[in-house]
Amino acid sequence: MIFIRFFMPIFFVLVSICFLIGTFHLPKAKLGDPNGPLYFPAGVSIFLLITSFVYLIQEWRQQQKYPEFKRLLSGRTPFLIVSTLVLGLLYALVFLTLGFLVSTTLFLAALLFVINGRSKWLLNLTVAVLFSMSAWVVFSQWLDISLP
């Protein structure tokens, strides 16, 4: 529960920043004030950014009340969270270049090595290869969905 309470404000801060950046890419008006179409979306984005940031600060101050939050930031958990995010980003970056089968196999193998460690290397590789190939067969062959 605390995980959602803390990370939802961060999510909305990021969403508001993306909307604010997107607002400045809107076309200028040809009649009247050229920046007229930017005012409302920029105002909503700034309001969302401010309220999300205030909510984030409130949750940060209340973290002492929740022992689960301290457990989230201790041990291997931060490493697992960061490494999963980094691997997911790398997977998204190489997906179109390497294709579904190779990139999914590499992503799952790397993720399983992070979670299970090197001692279970055979299990990690077996699961990564079998899952990737099974997913490819189901989508590409049975459902006739084109995968990169």
Side-chain angles (χ1 to χ4, degrees):
M1 183 68 175
I2 186 64
F3 184 77
I4 293 173
R5 290 181 61 124
F6 185 70
F7 286 103
M8 288 309 290
I10 292 175
F11 172 75
F12 283 113
V13 165
L14 295 174
V15 167
S16 63
I17 289 171
C18 289
F19 275 112
L20 190 59
I21 291 170
T23 298
F24 295 112
H25 293 298
L26 290 172
K28 304 267 185 196
K30 297 193 189 285
L31 296 173
D33 185 7
N35 293 323
L38 305 178
Y39 296 142
F40 183 74
V44 170
S45 300
I46 291 170
F47 178 74
L48 180 62
L49 180 64
I50 291 169
T51 55
S52 300
F53 194 67
V54 167
Y55 183 44
L56 177 65
I57 291 171
Q58 288 175 346
E59 288 299 321
W60 185 262
R61 286 183 181 167
Q62 291 183 2
Q63 71 181 343
Q64 302 300 329
K65 296 179 183 177
Y66 303 105
E68 298 89 12
F69 186 78
K70 287 184 181 180
R71 200 172 342 143
L72 179 68
L73 295 177
S74 65
R76 263 187 90 205
T77 307
F79 171 73
L80 291 175
I81 292 171
V82 170
S83 58
T84 302
L85 290 172
V86 168
L87 287 173
L89 180 64
L90 290 174
Y91 176 65
L93 292 174
V94 301
F95 184 78
L96 291 176
T97 306
L98 298 179
F100 173 80
L101 195 57
V102 174
S103 62
T104 303
T105 303
L106 291 174
F107 169 70
L108 286 177
L111 190 60
L112 288 170
F113 273 104
V114 167
I115 293 171
N116 294 334
R118 289 186 221 155
S119 63
K120 297 183 180 181
W121 66 271
L122 184 60
L123 177 67
N124 295 343
L125 292 177
T126 304
V127 169
V129 170
L130 287 179
F131 177 81
S132 300
M133 291 180 75
S134 300
W136 181 80
V137 166
V138 167
F139 285 103
S140 181
Q141 304 300 313
W142 294 351
L143 297 175
D144 201 27
I145 296 174
S146 176
L147 296 173

